Amino acid sequence: MASSSSSSLSRVVVKSSDNNLFVVNKKVASQSQLLKQCIDNMEEKGTNDVILIPLSNVTSNILTLVLEYCEKHADFADDDNNNQELKQWDHEFLKKFDYATLNSLTMAADYMVTKSLLNLCCQFIADSIKDLTVQQIRQIFDIKNDFTPQEEADIKNENAWAFR
Amino acid sequence: MAALPQEIIVEILSRLPVNSLLRFKRVCKSWYSLIKTPQFIKLHLNRALISNSDRHLVFCCLYLYSAELNSNHNQLYFSKHDHILDPLLVRISGSCNGIICIMGNCNSISLYNPLTKSRFDLPISETPELEPLVTSLGFGYDSKNDDYKVLRIVQGFNNSKIYDQEVKLFSYNKNSWKWVEVASSYNFRLCRHGVLVDEALHYLVINKESSSKNLSIAKFDLFTEKFSVMNFPEGIDMARSNVMLTLTNLGGSLSLMAKHHSLSAMGHADLWVMKTYGNKGSWCKLYSIRNCIQAKPMVYSEDGRRILLELDNRRYGWYDLESKIVDKFTSYGLSDRIYLRTKILVGSLVLLQDKLHSDSDKENLPR
């Protein structure tokens, strides 16, 4: 659909759920497939106006973090995920957050279709919870124990998973 | 705090080691059922295979021992499992997708997932025409048919007192054995079990029809269920009698260990790796380690910079690919007299189900 009238946007404005506006340059925004799709659609239509993309599911606190990630990763090529410097930066970036923030960030990455951030968050959460107890897991993920004490004891003793 | 949606929970849990998942199935009913679904088990396995994490060392020496490998520490803590077959003659002949193939005495063969304790016993297949002397097993996965298969090669004297061999293949899905055609010119060197690489089993064979009686590599494709011969690496001096060759798998590449015995010195151990599978020109020497006879490569470290070695069946060490130095270390939970024959196991939840029907009548297929 590209035509001579198609324009090229350099920036977009993203609106968080609590109505704060963020001006984001196109290269950074393209780290999110959701934002990229919006930009592509507008460019095909030949709009020259700055476009506004409302994100009804992401608060400004979390959006700031997603954009910080996108800004860093926009400087690296797509196949640069094994870059040691970038890996180190990713780790330091996530290390600062508590589980509540990590969970919100993960959901935002999922909603904004930022696959690399989603994978990173999931791996980071997995690595940090793997040695925790069942009780701690329930607390972190806000899960109610819906087993009876007898059922829980049975599962604990269920060491063989074979159907026999 | 907002609860995470199910698809994100799946993304997180599928990246956990098996031991954590076995604990976390007690968290709630939805986690319990999720962790048991075949789709989750498959997703978790595929993640584990790619990630190079959740690796375990397993071996049998009277008992089954296993230890979780941690690339960051030079320590291994082995724990002893309850023995699952007659312990005295148990051998692990293969490891694939978290399942080991165990050979017991009296022809018994079992598949076993040591982490979930899921187990399957193969129906016994007798060799009425052969007095068995040596048995070799090969175990692997055929992804096109989603099937686990065991190849059994038995050598011994037949009813006419002639040394002969019998090759049979077991399919887990069909729960039955069938005969496999093999060129009579293949002479298997059966001290070793089949080496699994790229859904095919590999064996060193002497081709009797070749004038030079050179060694070759016989490949058994688990999908086509046929044997073929692969080219042998050039540049390995096999004619010398003090070199012993053994096939192995390192990080998914077919590899060849060359043990050089020497009367005057301690000898040394070389490793050749076929970088691109099936490409004869891609064999290259990865290391040469002095002062030991056997340096069996087990697995790459998570960062890919080191290789875990099993040294002379006695101990383990990390080989640094850059500095070329072996860092030996002690293992806990083992006696001094242990004889290691280690296999690498990837942590998986793969379940082995008892078959509903015993298909022993399929045993009588024409040869």
Side-chain angles (χ1 to χ4, degrees):
Chain A
M1 287 289 287
S3 66
S4 54
S5 69
S6 79
S7 64
S8 186
L9 298 163
S10 62
R11 283 176 302 170
V12 287
V13 177
V14 182
K15 190 170 92 177
S16 67
S17 63
D18 44 353
N19 295 321
N20 281 322
L21 299 179
F22 295 78
V23 180
V24 186
N25 92 39
K26 186 176 141 186
K27 199 179 167 197
V28 173
S30 298
Q31 295 289 311
S32 152
Q33 285 300 310
L34 178 75
L35 299 186
K36 187 173 186 294
Q37 196 65 54
C38 292
I39 295 169
D40 289 351
N41 288 346
M42 293 312 280
E43 284 185 345
E44 269 180 25
K45 284 182 192 158
T47 315
N48 281 316
D49 306 331
V50 171
I51 57 164
L52 178 81
I53 307 170
L55 297 175
S56 54
N57 285 350
V58 189
T59 63
S60 38
N61 285 347
I62 297 300
L63 187 55
T64 312
L65 299 178
V66 176
L67 293 176
E68 187 186 341
Y69 173 90
C70 292
E71 213 161 286
K72 182 73 187 178
H73 279 250
D75 294 339
F76 290 85
D78 287 344
D79 55 354
D80 231 7
N81 276 331
N82 278 323
N83 183 299
Q84 283 303 319
E85 184 207 322
L86 196 57
K87 270 187 168 175
Q88 185 65 32
W89 185 90
D90 286 347
H91 189 77
E92 297 295 327
F93 176 62
L94 292 186
K95 224 170 67 176
K96 301 180 290 220
F97 310 131
D98 58 7
Y99 281 111
T101 311
L102 275 176
N103 285 0
S104 307
L105 188 59
T106 310
M107 282 198 277
D110 186 42
Y111 175 68
M112 293 173 70
V113 202
T114 311
K115 196 83 183 128
S116 66
L117 179 60
L118 178 65
N119 287 338
L120 182 71
C121 288
C122 291
Q123 187 64 55
F124 188 86
I125 296 174
D127 289 343
S128 48
I129 65 170
K130 66 177 185 200
D131 296 320
L132 300 185
T133 66
V134 171
Q135 202 47 255
Q136 288 169 316
I137 293 291
R138 287 185 191 132
Q139 257 168 22
I140 288 170
F141 291 97
D142 195 19
I143 295 172
K144 198 178 163 293
N145 178 12
D146 51 3
F147 288 117
T148 65
Q150 184 56 48
E151 283 173 333
E152 206 181 334
D154 288 347
I155 298 170
K156 202 171 179 177
N157 294 330
E158 178 190 69
N159 59 350
W161 272 26
F163 293 103
R164 55 167 77 207
Chain B
M1 191 189 79
L4 287 172
Q6 176 84 352
E7 64 264 27
I8 293 182
I9 294 286
V10 170
E11 285 294 314
I12 295 170
L13 296 189
S14 61
R15 290 169 162 86
L16 283 170
V18 168
N19 285 333
S20 306
L21 289 171
L22 293 178
R23 196 164 67 246
F24 294 168
K25 63 190 169 143
R26 268 161 47 218
V27 166
C28 63
K29 283 182 180 164
S30 80
W31 282 33
Y32 180 78
S33 17
L34 167 72
I35 294 170
K36 273 195 163 184
T37 58
Q39 295 88 332
F40 180 80
I41 292 174
K42 201 154 258 181
L43 175 70
H44 177 266
L45 172 65
N46 290 335
R47 286 249 151 87
L49 290 173
I50 297 166
S51 78
N52 215 19
S53 64
D54 201 14
R55 294 299 192 267
H56 302 253
L57 307 182
V58 285
F59 69 92
C60 274
C61 184
L62 295 181
Y63 295 92
L64 179 67
Y65 291 84
S66 76
E68 201 175 327
L69 182 67
N70 187 334
S71 298
N72 303 321
H73 302 291
N74 278 1
Q75 276 158 351
L76 284 170
Y77 295 92
F78 279 93
S79 55
K80 196 153 79 173
H81 293 243
D82 302 332
H83 48 107
I84 36 177
L85 291 172
D86 179 352
L88 288 173
L89 284 163
V90 166
R91 268 221 195 179
I92 303 176
S93 55
S95 167
C96 172
N97 292 359
I99 299 169
I100 50 175
C101 176
I102 302 174
M103 181 160 79
N105 58 357
C106 309
N107 276 335
S108 73
I109 302 168
S110 300
L111 304 181
Y112 186 62
N113 182 330
L115 301 183
T116 63
K117 313 244 185 308
S118 170
R119 169 180 168 179
F120 174 80
D121 295 330
L122 275 62
I124 299 272
S125 165
E126 303 289 351
T127 53
E129 290 162 32
L130 218 55
E131 182 70 43
L133 285 174
V134 210
T135 301
S136 155
L137 299 180
F139 170 57
Y141 179 63
D142 162 13
S143 63
K144 294 192 187 79
N145 291 307
D146 189 20
D147 196 6
Y148 289 94
K149 294 177 178 175
V150 175
L151 186 74
R152 187 183 72 176
I153 306 170
V154 183
Q155 290 182 340
F157 291 101
N158 64 17
N159 298 338
S160 330
K161 306 282 176 221
I162 293 166
Y163 200 71
D164 201 357
Q165 65 191 19
E166 180 212 86
V167 184
K168 268 179 152 184
L169 183 72
F170 177 79
S171 150
Y172 171 74
N173 284 351
K174 294 179 185 144
N175 193 29
S176 66
W177 290 93
K178 71 171 193 181
W179 302 103
V180 172
E181 284 288 334
V182 53
S184 57
S185 60
Y186 289 4
N187 189 358
F188 289 92
R189 291 178 61 181
L190 279 191
C191 48
R192 296 286 164 173
H193 294 296
V195 172
L196 180 68
V197 176
D198 210 22
E199 301 196 7
L201 297 165
H202 301 80
Y203 299 85
L204 283 180
V205 292
I206 298 166
N207 198 339
K208 283 185 272 189
E209 277 170 10
S210 139
S211 54
S212 54
K213 292 212 169 177
N214 268 353
L215 274 176
S216 318
I217 297 170
K219 165 186 172 180
F220 180 78
D221 187 311
L222 287 165
F223 172 64
T224 63
E225 304 185 346
K226 289 200 164 35
F227 275 103
S228 58
V229 173
M230 287 179 94
N231 282 321
F232 208 75
E234 285 167 356
I236 300 182
D237 189 1
M238 297 168 304
R240 285 162 52 190
S241 58
N242 60 347
V243 184
M244 259 251 311
L245 298 171
T246 316
L247 286 174
T248 189
N249 173 336
L250 173 62
S253 297
L254 187 64
S255 309
L256 193 64
M257 287 189 280
K259 298 180 254 180
H260 300 262
H261 295 270
S262 161
L263 288 175
S264 53
M266 262 295 280
H268 64 280
D270 295 346
L271 186 77
W272 294 75
V273 174
M274 182 160 43
K275 292 274 182 192
T276 315
Y277 184 75
N279 178 354
K280 186 185 173 184
S282 73
W283 282 97
C284 65
K285 198 191 222 174
L286 198 63
Y287 60 67
S288 181
I289 291 167
R290 310 224 146 252
N291 295 326
C292 74
I293 296 162
Q294 179 174 297
K296 186 177 163 199
M298 305 304 314
V299 67
Y300 283 102
S301 62
E302 277 185 53
D303 62 12
R305 294 174 185 186
R306 295 179 298 163
I307 300 170
L308 184 75
L309 302 179
E310 180 201 84
L311 299 158
D312 292 333
N313 302 95
R314 290 259 161 251
R315 60 193 309 191
Y316 300 101
W318 283 107
Y319 175 76
D320 191 307
L321 286 161
E322 209 175 301
S323 70
K324 303 188 174 180
I325 289 169
V326 181
D327 185 6
K328 292 178 193 170
F329 60 89
T330 351
S331 309
Y332 299 90
L334 301 177
S335 78
D336 296 342
R337 297 190 164 191
I338 214 103
Y339 186 79
L340 300 171
R341 255 195 234 102
T342 321
K343 296 272 179 204
I344 287 289
L345 179 91
V346 54
S348 95
L349 295 161
V350 173
L351 279 176
L352 300 160
Q353 281 170 270
D354 258 352
K355 298 294 165 181
L356 294 171
H357 317 287
S358 69
D359 299 358
S360 53
D361 49 338
K362 285 187 184 170
E363 186 66 31
N364 305 320
L365 287 172
R367 191 163 185 174

